[in-house]
Amino acid sequence: MDHFIFHAPTKIIFGKNSELQCAHLLREFGAHKVLVHYGGNSALRSGLLHRICQCLQEADIPYVTLGGVKPNPRLSKVREGIALAQQEDVDFLLAVGGGSVIDSAKAIAYGCANEGDVWEYYAKKKTVRAALPVGCVATMAAAGSEMSNSSVITNEDGWLKRGLSSSFGYCRFAILNPELTVTVPPYQTMSGCTDILMHTLERYFTRETPMELVDGISYALMKDVIKYARILHNDPRNYAARAEILWASELSHNGVSGDRSLGDWACHQLEHELSGMFDVAHGAGLAAVWGSWARYVLDADPARFAQLAIHVWDIPACDDVRACALQGIEAMETFFSQIGMPICLPQLGISLTDAQIDELAEKCTFFRQRTIGGFRTLDLEDIRRIYHAANQR
């Protein structure tokens, strides 16, 4: 690895009852009026939202609330949040929820601090120049948005799902209490574990010469997620496993396991179009396409896949590197199946028509304006073939 950038400015407060520190942190980072942004009924039923608001009231910090964020967060809710924040003269956003809520809060922060419509920035027509500060109380281990500089929003006009990464996109602080993730349903928990695993895999598959230390961190992260995902699959209330998975979600997406800009990210791009069109859980969508992607790009560097098989799945090294690599791909798919994740689109409840495959491929290339993939470059026809393979397996 000849070069990389590491930047992880988010302050982390990890542990039981850490959400009770939110008012102190808001004061520390200069908040005067806060928009508390959250998702659905879970934050209300659990009492978390009440505890957060009570902390703000006791600290005499003015706030307004906006709920209703959906998985694969919608542009319409972002625009609603921008209007509310501007009307109420909000100067800080506090996201209470999972990655979708945090991504939505980041988008509101961009929309409040930059001219024009916020979608122009996600569509890459304009460049972000500023953002309101954002903090979060994370309730799910998955996206790692609380420590990354990225967010992803879905535009209902055309159901386009687009990401935006910016130096202004880091949370000022992230409160991580593993207990808050216990109420996440089992399927979503496993979907989150898959997303964490994929964040490291996207960085692992790079054309850069790997650094032994970074590879070692990546292997350790992946083995940790695999181990504790299995534990959580059988014992969803296991605090130690919740803590391991929650911290892994941060390390998998904050640059420790590799510079984001040097990774592949094709699976994420393929999945974004699936969840944009079909509104599926992100991690489940990733699991459904990963094996088809892996087999399609395998010959770009079979040795890289073989090293993954050896160091993560303990598959013995052999002279037939490609055979070893294929065993590793199969082991990954077996793991996905064991934790209830799909390994093809039919298992995700999707059966694509040829017209839908064409539409997905067109959207994935931004209507023939880009290729995807850093490990192997994929054009429109490559993307079609991967979708087709995932649709048939």
Side-chain angles (χ1 to χ4, degrees), residues 1 3 5 28 60 91 94 154 371 387:
M1 187 174 291
H3 63 277
I5 296 172
E28 178 183 332
D60 198 26
D91 65 358
L94 179 65
T154 298
T371 56
Y387 281 132

Side-chain angles (χ1 to χ4, degrees), residues 122-137:
Y122 283 84
K124 307 297 188 292
K125 294 179 180 178
K126 290 185 177 180
T127 301
V128 166
R129 302 295 181 189
L132 290 186
V134 178
C136 72
V137 180

Side-chain angles (χ1 to χ4, degrees), residues 185-207:
Y187 184 83
Q188 292 296 335
T189 296
M190 294 301 104
S191 181
C193 290
T194 302
D195 193 15
I196 297 165
L197 193 60
M198 289 297 302
H199 283 156
T200 299
L201 285 168
E202 297 283 27
R203 291 170 168 84
Y204 176 80
F205 287 106
T206 175
R207 299 302 294 176

Side-chain angles (χ1 to χ4, degrees), residues 50-125:
H50 174 74
R51 295 198 301 276
I52 296 294
C53 292
Q54 188 173 35
C55 285
L56 300 190
Q57 290 168 10
E58 291 173 354
D60 198 26
I61 299 175
Y63 68 92
V64 292
T65 63
L66 178 64
V69 178
K70 298 179 181 294
N72 301 310
R74 308 292 200 263
L75 178 61
S76 59
K77 181 60 65 174
V78 170
R79 287 172 173 157
E80 182 183 347
I82 293 167
L84 177 62
Q86 291 175 336
Q87 175 186 322
E88 295 289 338
D89 200 23
V90 162
D91 65 358
F92 203 104
L93 287 106
L94 179 65
V96 180
S100 293
V101 176
I102 298 168
D103 282 6
S104 185
K106 290 181 180 182
I108 293 170
Y110 291 139
C112 289
N114 296 274
E115 65 179 12
D117 184 70
V118 68
W119 183 251
E120 294 181 294
Y121 298 92
Y122 283 84
K124 307 297 188 292
K125 294 179 180 178

Side-chain angles (χ1 to χ4, degrees), residues 83-297:
L84 177 62
Q86 291 175 336
Q87 175 186 322
E88 295 289 338
D89 200 23
V90 162
D91 65 358
F92 203 104
L93 287 106
L94 179 65
V96 180
S100 293
V101 176
I102 298 168
D103 282 6
S104 185
K106 290 181 180 182
I108 293 170
Y110 291 139
C112 289
N114 296 274
E115 65 179 12
D117 184 70
V118 68
W119 183 251
E120 294 181 294
Y121 298 92
Y122 283 84
K124 307 297 188 292
K125 294 179 180 178
K126 290 185 177 180
T127 301
V128 166
R129 302 295 181 189
L132 290 186
V134 178
C136 72
V137 180
T139 62
M140 184 173 177
S145 183
E146 50 271 23
M147 279 197 82
S148 82
N149 67 345
S150 61
S151 67
V152 182
I153 298 296
T154 298
N155 186 342
E156 299 97 319
D157 183 8
W159 295 104
L160 299 172
K161 188 172 182 179
R162 296 290 180 260
L164 173 57
S165 298
S166 164
S167 60
F168 298 101
Y170 291 99
C171 289
R172 302 299 175 88
F173 65 82
I175 292 172
L176 306 176
N177 177 359
E179 290 181 317
L180 300 180
T181 71
V182 171
T183 58
V184 177
Y187 184 83
Q188 292 296 335
T189 296
M190 294 301 104
S191 181
C193 290
T194 302
D195 193 15
I196 297 165
L197 193 60
M198 289 297 302
H199 283 156
T200 299
L201 285 168
E202 297 283 27
R203 291 170 168 84
Y204 176 80
F205 287 106
T206 175
R207 299 302 294 176
E208 292 280 317
T209 302
M211 186 181 287
E212 185 175 345
L213 176 60
V214 176
D215 272 0
I217 291 170
S218 298
Y219 298 141
L221 268 169
M222 287 187 275
K223 289 175 78 86
D224 189 79
V225 172
I226 291 162
K227 174 182 177 179
Y228 287 100
R230 284 172 168 154
I231 291 172
L232 284 180
H233 191 249
N234 296 316
D235 182 12
R237 303 191 69 83
N238 188 301
Y239 176 84
R242 290 278 175 187
E244 292 277 350
I245 291 294
L246 184 55
W247 189 229
S249 72
E250 313 311 319
L251 300 184
S252 288
H253 209 31
N254 72 354
V256 168
S257 60
D259 186 329
R260 166 189 190 90
S261 68
L262 304 178
D264 182 76
W265 300 102
C267 286
H268 267 73
Q269 302 302 330
L270 292 163
E271 195 289 324
H272 281 173
E273 305 311 328
L274 285 172
S275 53
M277 183 182 292
F278 298 102
D279 205 26
V280 298
H282 177 54
L286 289 169
V289 300
W290 188 81
S292 295
W293 167 84
R295 290 180 176 86
Y296 193 84
V297 305

